[in-house]
Amino acid sequence: MAAMLERLIEDYADRAYQFAYHLCGNVDEAQDVVQEAFLKAIRGWEAFDESQDFWNWFLAILRNIHCDRRRRYERRNCVSLDVPIEGGGEEAETFADTLADGDAGCLLERLTREQGQQEVRDAFDSLGEEARAVLTLCDIQGLSYEEIAEVLAVPVGTVRSRLARARGFLRRELAERAAAEEALNK
Amino acid sequence: MNCREMDELLNAFIDGQASAGERRLVARHVEECRACGQKLRLVVGIKASVRKLQAPPAPAALKAALRREAAKRRKAAWSWPALPRWGLAAAFAAAAAVVVFVLAPSREEEVPVDALLAAHSEYALTMPLSPSESIYAGLAERVARGDAHDL
């Protein structure tokens, strides 16, 4: 058991922290979440089914702890990616569709600039928790849709729609920041 | 398929998670639809940017804190929380009886059973049992000196 725990800490602590940081956006909270997740994993070790992938199992614990903390300590209105936008009629427009076509080229150009990465960071941090979780798991952790579905305990179809909407939100956020900066520079 | 329906497929295509049929649909659609072609390139760029997002390095104290928690957990595992008191005493008494017969010392070093049981109690209360630890080390000498009475 001692050797196993040491290996867990050595192999997974850094990756776990990376994931937690992208969820929380905060160094101290990320550290707390990782510690709590490790404790929970150690306590629940006997119940762990070894046919499962350990890393996905642990990510699910980590994410659930983060969500529980958010529910307990914050009353922020997070827009769920699974809920259609109200008041839009039968074919309700989603946030994903609001980007004008002509802005696509400008945005791409901004992303390649030096400050582009900071803009992406700021826009990413402003997203809701569901969006940050699914983007982190897909684009940063590199999980497949099936693995993401396992971590988030949702169907694969839900993962697909959440990713599409999360990227739509991110596109919109980047476009709004770009427009605001251009207005300031005029 | 309209552009809105294509949105999810575009993202699955970029993530390498689209089926063969879906990939064909996307390829055909972006050939015909300039807006979706632009959206595809933009989403590729955004995915690449998100992928590059860095978290600061994990604090040095994090692994130390995790190791401390793991050590606490290991220590707690030695305290036999699940055994009721009578069960613990009976288990040690039985173990002592077995050891007396199996490891019977020579006539000159024979140790009273009471002293053996008392030694077990001392170790059970104060130290974790280890297979490599000889709980009888020095016991015969202590009995011979007469200072085993306070065990």
Side-chain angles (χ1 to χ4, degrees):
Chain A
M1 173 90 169
M4 184 271 292
L5 287 175
E6 179 58 36
R7 193 168 61 81
L8 278 179
I9 292 167
E10 206 48 50
D11 292 351
Y12 292 106
D14 289 331
R15 287 171 70 189
Y17 177 79
Q18 306 296 319
F19 179 57
Y21 178 81
H22 288 302
L23 283 186
C24 308
N26 175 294
V27 165
D28 291 334
E29 196 176 335
Q31 194 166 348
D32 289 346
V33 167
V34 170
Q35 283 186 241
E36 220 176 301
F38 261 92
L39 267 182
K40 196 160 183 183
I42 291 168
R43 279 189 225 115
W45 183 251
E46 281 164 21
F48 173 64
D49 175 2
E50 289 186 17
S51 65
Q52 280 181 272
D53 181 276
F54 170 78
W55 179 235
N56 294 347
W57 176 72
F58 184 70
L59 281 178
I61 292 175
L62 212 156
R63 199 244 168 172
N64 288 336
I65 286 172
H66 167 68
C67 286
D68 288 345
R69 288 167 68 97
R70 288 280 155 172
R71 270 195 288 274
R72 266 184 274 144
Y73 299 117
E74 285 189 11
R75 294 201 175 275
R76 188 193 293 171
N77 273 338
C78 284
V79 178
S80 168
L81 293 172
D82 301 334
V83 175
I85 297 165
E86 289 176 5
E90 271 191 22
E91 284 196 353
E93 189 182 14
T94 66
F95 288 129
D97 299 326
T98 56
L99 182 68
D101 294 338
D103 293 337
C106 297
L107 267 187
L108 256 178
E109 196 195 304
R110 287 178 75 88
L111 287 174
T112 58
R113 292 183 328 184
E114 200 180 312
Q115 320 82 298
Q117 199 58 28
Q118 187 56 47
E119 289 178 7
V120 174
R121 173 89 255 170
D122 294 341
F124 182 89
D125 286 345
S126 72
L127 297 178
E129 191 277 334
E130 267 186 17
R132 279 185 280 119
V134 77
L135 287 172
T136 302
L137 289 169
C138 183
D139 295 344
I140 299 176
Q141 297 285 333
L143 269 61
S144 68
Y145 284 8
E146 282 77 19
E147 289 172 321
I148 296 171
E150 193 185 321
V151 170
L152 300 181
V154 296
V156 170
T158 301
V159 172
R160 288 168 72 118
S161 60
R162 282 192 191 180
L163 265 170
R165 293 189 73 177
R167 289 189 180 127
F169 273 114
L170 192 53
R171 283 202 322 266
R172 184 188 188 191
E173 190 64 35
L174 286 167
E176 284 179 359
R177 285 165 188 267
E181 193 182 307
E182 279 174 33
L184 274 174
N185 292 338
K186 276 188 182 157
Chain B
M1 183 171 281
N2 63 37
C3 295
R4 184 166 298 151
E5 288 165 338
M6 186 53 55
D7 201 41
E8 268 187 39
L9 290 191
L10 274 180
N11 281 275
F13 177 85
I14 288 160
D15 292 330
Q17 301 287 300
S19 65
E22 288 171 339
R23 288 197 299 272
R24 280 193 292 273
L25 273 173
V26 169
R28 203 175 306 137
H29 184 85
V30 298
E31 272 179 17
E32 297 162 355
C33 176
R34 193 168 160 272
C36 282
Q38 278 190 323
K39 190 192 279 189
L40 183 92
R41 282 188 289 280
L42 181 57
V43 172
V44 167
I46 288 173
K47 182 180 169 83
S49 296
V50 170
R51 200 169 172 162
K52 284 191 275 185
L53 286 178
Q54 295 292 322
L62 175 61
K63 286 187 188 177
L66 292 175
R67 289 188 178 104
R68 277 198 297 277
E69 292 295 341
K72 275 190 221 170
R73 180 81 184 150
R74 283 199 303 275
K75 198 174 170 182
W78 285 112
S79 67
W80 304 72
L83 280 178
R85 287 180 183 274
W86 64 262
L88 188 62
F92 277 113
V98 168
V99 171
V100 164
F101 283 105
V102 171
L103 296 178
S106 67
R107 192 171 284 276
E108 300 83 59
E109 298 172 348
E110 197 164 332
V111 178
V113 173
D114 288 346
L116 283 172
L117 289 175
H120 271 290
S121 295
E122 179 188 356
Y123 276 84
L125 288 173
T126 60
M127 294 185 202
L129 284 175
S130 163
S132 62
E133 186 176 341
S134 168
I135 61 173
Y136 299 104
L139 179 59
E141 290 78 8
R142 289 174 70 186
V143 170
R145 284 198 304 268
D147 62 1
H149 60 273
D150 58 350
L151 285 177

